[in-house]
Amino acid sequence: MKIRVGQGYDVHRWVKGRPFILGGVEIPSDYGPLGHSDADLVCHALCDALLGAANMRNIGYHFSDKDPMWKGVASTLLLKKVLEMIREKGWEVGNVDVTVVLDQPKLNPHIPSIKENLAIVMELDIDQISVKATTSEGLGFVGRQEGISAMAVALIQAK
């Protein structure tokens, strides 16, 4: 069986008054990530991991932040489009693993909802999706609460 692995990484600056959306789920917060779309880091990192595994460049190549068509778009839509693209090339998702790095707010209460929503969006079994959160222990731009980051790994296999 032919398999490939890809990784994705995303970073956004925190701004007051923006919605905070991860995996298509709104997280209660006074701050949210700044971005051209809804700035959903989980979806962005997953898009890059899937595109990388399929050797199809990155999210910015396919959905430029210079294109007004993508202004304010729900990143779950971008993730659906990426899945269509890799499936058209003969790939299916084996599993994905995402880590979100932030000190506040705490994500553990929201992880089940994020996983459930991603399972629906990605048309996968919930057991194929791992979502975790960790802190930066107060270090760097994340620790200073200037921004948030997320990393993802995706395994894809030939249909």
Side-chain angles (χ1 to χ4, degrees):
M1 173 181 287
K2 190 173 177 182
I3 62 171
R4 291 188 179 171
V5 176
Q7 66 176 351
Y9 177 72
D10 197 31
V11 172
H12 285 271
R13 180 183 318 274
W14 279 124
V15 293
K16 191 164 183 66
R18 280 270 301 191
F20 181 25
I21 299 169
L22 291 178
V25 174
E26 187 160 354
I27 309 299
S29 177
D30 292 336
Y31 289 82
L34 180 64
H36 184 69
S37 66
D38 64 1
D40 183 333
L41 286 93
V42 166
C43 288
H44 293 183
L46 281 170
C47 285
D48 273 348
L50 292 162
L51 289 166
N55 195 20
M56 297 175 69
R57 304 198 56 171
N58 68 4
I59 190 174
Y61 178 79
H62 295 282
F63 311 106
S64 171
D65 64 0
K66 306 292 185 256
D67 187 339
M69 177 176 162
W70 306 117
K71 178 77 173 154
V73 72
S75 297
T76 51
L77 176 66
L78 303 180
L79 182 55
K80 284 181 184 183
K81 289 188 175 294
V82 166
L83 287 161
E84 288 172 13
M85 292 164 52
I86 69 163
R87 288 174 177 147
E88 285 174 8
K89 295 283 186 179
W91 297 103
E92 62 184 27
V93 178
N95 71 296
V96 295
D97 182 22
V98 182
T99 303
V100 181
V101 185
L102 78 167
D103 286 9
Q104 291 293 328
K106 297 300 182 192
L107 288 187
N108 277 337
H110 307 286
I111 287 176
S113 298
I114 294 169
K115 287 181 62 171
E116 288 171 16
N117 196 58
L118 287 173
I120 293 166
V121 168
M122 298 179 77
E123 300 175 8
L124 297 174
D125 189 85
I126 200 160
D127 289 339
Q128 293 173 275
I129 300 167
S130 172
V131 177
K132 310 176 298 296
T134 190
T135 71
S136 67
E137 301 292 331
L139 299 173
F141 73 90
V142 172
R144 291 188 301 272
Q145 301 208 12
E146 296 170 358
I148 178 176
S149 67
M151 299 165 274
V153 177
L155 177 114
I156 61 173
Q157 52 202 21
K159 290 184 187 179

